[in-house]
Amino acid sequence: MKRLLVLGVGNILMQDEGIGVHAINEFWKEKEDWKDADVDFIDGGTFTQDIFYLFEAYENILVLDIVRANQTPGTIFCLEENQLRKNKKQMLSLHDIDLLDSLGMAEMRGHRPYLRVVGIEPATIDWGTELTPPLAAAFPDYLKIVRKHINEILGSSDTA
C-alpha cells in the first residue's frame, strides 16, 4: 500500500474550478524530485464516484480543489476529513459529495484512507482555461502549502 495519493480535481475549462488539475500538472513536472516513491499524483478531472477503487491502495488522500467559503478569492484552506463532515454548509466544489461517497465505498470494500483537502477560494467559475488574476497570484503559495502537506504526510522535510 502506498502512503499518499495527491488527487487534483476540477474542470480546467471553468477558470478557477480547475485549480486542482493545474496544481497536479505542476507536481508532474517535479515528480522525479520527490525522494519518496510512496506518492502518486493523479489528475482526477471532474472526479466521479467511479474512481473509489483507487483509494483502496493508499493510506492517505490529499485532495486539491476549490473551497467556497465566502472568503477573499485566493484564501487557502487546509481541511481534515472531520472538518468536512462537521460543517455541512462547507462546499468544496461540485465534487465534494462524490469524494465523501467514494471514501465510504472504499471503506465498505475494506480500507478507508485518511483524507485531507488543500483548497482555495475561487474568484470566478466561468468558461475559460486560465486562472483568474487573484488565483494566479496565489498559486505559488498554494503549491508551497501543498508541498508542506505532502512532506508532512511522507515524514520528510523537503524534496530532493
Side-chain angles (χ1 to χ4, degrees):
M1 182 174 298
K2 286 197 172 190
R3 293 196 36 214
L4 177 61
L5 167 62
V6 181
L7 180 67
V9 295
N11 184 341
I12 60 170
L13 300 176
M14 299 295 292
Q15 290 180 305
D16 295 345
E17 224 283 317
I19 191 88
V21 175
H22 289 295
I24 288 298
N25 288 331
E26 290 301 311
F27 285 109
W28 280 341
K29 293 176 188 175
E30 59 189 59
K31 174 71 171 118
E32 302 291 321
D33 295 339
W34 291 92
K35 291 179 186 176
D36 195 331
D38 232 4
V39 59
D40 287 326
F41 299 92
I42 295 179
D43 171 353
T46 54
F47 184 67
T48 68
Q49 295 171 354
D50 298 339
I51 66 169
F52 72 91
Y53 64 90
L54 287 175
F55 292 2
E56 297 172 11
Y58 298 92
E59 294 173 16
N60 297 278
I61 308 291
L62 182 63
V63 175
L64 314 180
D65 200 358
I66 59 168
V67 172
R68 294 186 194 123
N70 295 318
Q71 300 296 315
T72 304
T75 301
I76 298 170
F77 302 89
C78 302
L79 304 167
E80 303 289 327
E81 181 178 345
N82 64 346
Q83 293 172 301
L84 299 175
R85 295 190 175 283
K86 285 182 184 174
N87 186 355
K88 296 188 186 284
K89 293 181 182 177
Q90 179 70 52
M91 288 292 296
L92 291 179
S93 72
L94 300 175
H95 320 113
D96 61 335
I97 293 171
D98 285 345
L99 177 63
L100 296 174
D101 286 347
S102 290
L103 282 171
M105 284 189 250
E107 183 175 33
M108 285 190 290
R109 291 179 42 103
H111 174 70
R112 181 188 187 100
Y114 187 78
L115 172 72
R116 289 186 199 186
V117 174
V118 178
I120 190 166
E121 180 78 43
T124 303
I125 297 175
D126 199 359
W127 293 109
T129 58
E130 301 294 323
L131 295 174
T132 59
L135 262 65
F139 194 61
D141 288 336
Y142 182 72
L143 293 175
K144 183 177 179 179
I145 290 170
V146 172
R147 282 186 196 95
K148 177 181 160 243
H149 282 277
I150 293 170
N151 286 320
E152 180 182 302
I153 292 167
L154 295 177
S156 61
S157 59
D158 58 16
T159 57

